[in-house]
Amino acid sequence: YDMDAMDKDILHLIENVDELIPRPTELLQDDVLICECFCVSVGDIRTVCDNKVDLDLLTDQLNLGSGCRTCVKDVSSWRDKIF
């Protein structure tokens, strides 16, 4: 084994460890609108759902996604920022 090469590899990994650690997702504020058609906010979603976004429940109770459906198409951009 070439110890110098191993040391350089290890130092490189240590220097770049931040890239390997997932950063916590910043949660959205309660007043952010997710569904503009039916004025469904993040706070509304938190009230209806129990620590997990349930689109069927949100559609049934709040009509989320029953209008233009943009909020449902963009679900990946907000789902992990609710809880």
Side-chain angles (χ1 to χ4, degrees):
Y1 291 99
D2 181 358
M3 292 304 284
D4 288 335
M6 282 181 54
D7 289 344
K8 287 178 185 175
D9 289 342
I10 291 171
L11 283 175
H12 176 74
L13 290 172
I14 291 170
E15 289 170 359
N16 296 302
V17 73
D18 287 343
E19 296 171 14
L20 303 173
I21 300 171
R23 298 180 191 273
T25 302
E26 193 167 320
L27 297 180
L28 297 171
Q29 297 293 320
D30 280 346
D31 62 347
V32 172
L33 279 183
I34 297 297
C35 177
E36 293 183 19
C37 296
F38 292 94
C39 296
V40 178
S41 70
V42 170
D44 297 327
I45 294 170
R46 288 182 178 136
T47 299
V48 170
C49 294
D50 185 28
N51 290 322
K52 183 180 178 203
V53 174
D54 181 336
L55 289 179
D56 292 331
L57 181 65
L58 292 170
T59 300
D60 290 344
Q61 293 196 13
L62 301 175
N63 290 321
L64 182 134
S66 298
C68 74
R69 299 196 50 80
T70 299
C71 55
V72 175
K73 292 175 191 169
D74 294 340
V75 69
S76 63
S77 69
W78 56 265
R79 178 189 300 255
D80 295 333
K81 298 177 184 175
I82 303 294
F83 297 105

